[in-house]
Amino acid sequence: MLHLSKIMSFTILLLAFFLACSKSDTLVNTDNDELELISSNKINVSEGSGLTINASGSTLFTVSDNTGNIYELATDGTVLKEYVYEGNDVEGISLVSTNKVLLVEERTKEIVEYDLSTKNYNKHKLIYNNNDSNSGLEGVAYNLNDKTIFVVNEKNPGLLMRLRSDFSIIESYELDFASDFSGIFHDKELNILWILSDESKTLNKCSLKGVLIKSYSINVIKAEGIAVTNNNIYIVSDSNSTLYQFKKPIE
């Protein structure tokens, strides 16, 4: 009887062990899907940083971290127009309307309203806790649904901030799902955010509060800007001046 009891106890323990291993394997399976690359094209823009797209999906806009200027691009990367702007470490861009874009300047932590028709601009200082001038604002995204603005701080800390139209902060959310945060885009149709990580080489689908929904691997060096349409995802590389087009995943 004692021998049978020992056998049953051993069997139960063995079964529990295998169940635990199976559960553990499920939890640690964090492999990311890789986006399907459609094309990659060199662009005549030095250190392209930040990306946005017009409502029809026909033209893109990027900024140069080198010259500070704004560039309008065809979706194949051809430069259509250049707008002069002598910025200070410009890192992000978002289209508000046909003639207006928002820019972010990393070191000064300023958001810039730039009028594409008049070339006039206004700057707004963003006050928040960040002591590293080289790890400041990296991206901006205008939410056409409710007219709010999202900005990301690169790291130390990784931070998502939601702003009112007067550039005051509504809420801030700490981000911890990647090593850094290098670009952001608001998806109007899905009402979610796409957040890039240069160091982690990932594109991250997130809620409006920065909660990670899904992460995708991207084989892009120095990914610094993202724009999304119903069917495509465009990413610009800072270091090799290349525009990548990926197929947008359907989920």
Side-chain angles (χ1 to χ4, degrees):
M1 186 74 176
L2 182 60
H3 179 67
L4 180 60
S5 177
K6 286 183 177 179
I7 292 175
M8 291 179 65
S9 297
F10 176 78
T11 303
I12 292 170
L13 286 171
L14 190 63
L15 181 60
F17 173 79
F18 280 117
L19 286 172
C21 288
S22 175
K23 184 177 180 182
S24 175
D25 287 343
T26 302
L27 290 174
V28 298
N29 184 16
T30 57
D31 291 340
N32 299 329
D33 291 341
E34 189 165 346
L35 291 181
E36 179 183 337
L37 179 65
I38 297 173
S39 65
S40 62
N41 296 289
K42 286 289 185 179
I43 58 174
N44 191 24
V45 177
S46 175
E47 298 182 28
S49 186
L51 199 64
T52 191
I53 196 163
N54 66 358
S56 65
S58 59
T59 59
L60 297 151
F61 292 84
T62 189
V63 287
S64 169
D65 192 18
N66 182 26
T67 66
N69 291 345
I70 301 165
Y71 298 84
E72 185 176 358
L73 309 173
T75 53
D76 66 358
T78 303
V79 175
L80 303 175
K81 194 169 183 179
E82 181 176 359
Y83 301 85
V84 175
Y85 173 66
E86 296 179 0
N88 185 353
D89 196 12
V90 185
E91 291 287 350
I93 183 169
S94 185
L95 195 65
V96 175
S97 62
T98 305
N99 294 317
K100 180 179 176 182
V101 295
L102 297 177
L103 313 173
V104 289
E105 298 189 353
E106 181 173 24
R107 295 182 186 276
T108 61
K109 299 176 179 62
E110 290 177 310
I111 302 175
V112 183
E113 294 179 280
Y114 185 95
D115 191 308
L116 296 170
S117 57
T118 65
K119 314 299 189 297
N120 294 328
Y121 60 86
N122 294 307
K123 293 188 174 186
H124 307 272
K125 186 80 171 179
L126 197 58
I127 306 299
Y128 66 101
N129 185 26
N130 171 249
N131 298 319
D132 187 347
S133 61
N134 199 38
S135 297
L137 297 178
E138 277 287 325
V140 58
Y142 186 71
N143 184 345
L144 289 166
N145 292 335
D146 66 4
K147 317 305 180 190
T148 57
I149 303 158
F150 293 95
V151 292
V152 285
N153 194 75
E154 181 184 9
K155 56 185 175 181
N156 301 322
L159 201 63
L160 170 68
M161 290 170 277
R162 190 172 191 173
L163 315 177
R164 300 177 181 87
S165 56
D166 64 0
F167 303 97
S168 59
I169 298 174
I170 301 171
E171 290 180 289
S172 297
Y173 312 97
E174 287 197 18
L175 304 176
D176 60 3
F177 51 80
S179 300
D180 75 334
F181 306 95
S182 56
I184 186 171
F185 186 86
H186 176 258
D187 191 319
K188 181 178 181 291
E189 302 306 320
L190 299 179
N191 200 30
I192 53 97
L193 298 172
W194 297 92
I195 300 178
L196 271 179
S197 173
D198 154 33
E199 294 179 2
S200 297
K201 290 189 176 181
T202 56
L203 173 60
N204 305 282
K205 183 179 181 181
C206 301
S207 74
L208 300 186
K209 294 187 176 182
V211 177
L212 180 64
I213 300 169
K214 188 170 180 59
S215 187
Y216 299 90
S217 298
I218 51 170
N219 188 22
V220 177
I221 300 171
K222 291 285 287 179
E224 291 275 331
I226 175 172
V228 181
T229 67
N230 287 340
N231 301 310
N232 300 305
I233 292 175
Y234 298 91
I235 293 176
V236 68
S237 165
D238 175 309
S239 60
N240 64 6
S241 299
T242 300
L243 177 68
Y244 297 85
Q245 181 183 354
F246 295 92
K247 183 178 180 181
K248 184 178 180 180
I250 299 173
E251 295 176 357

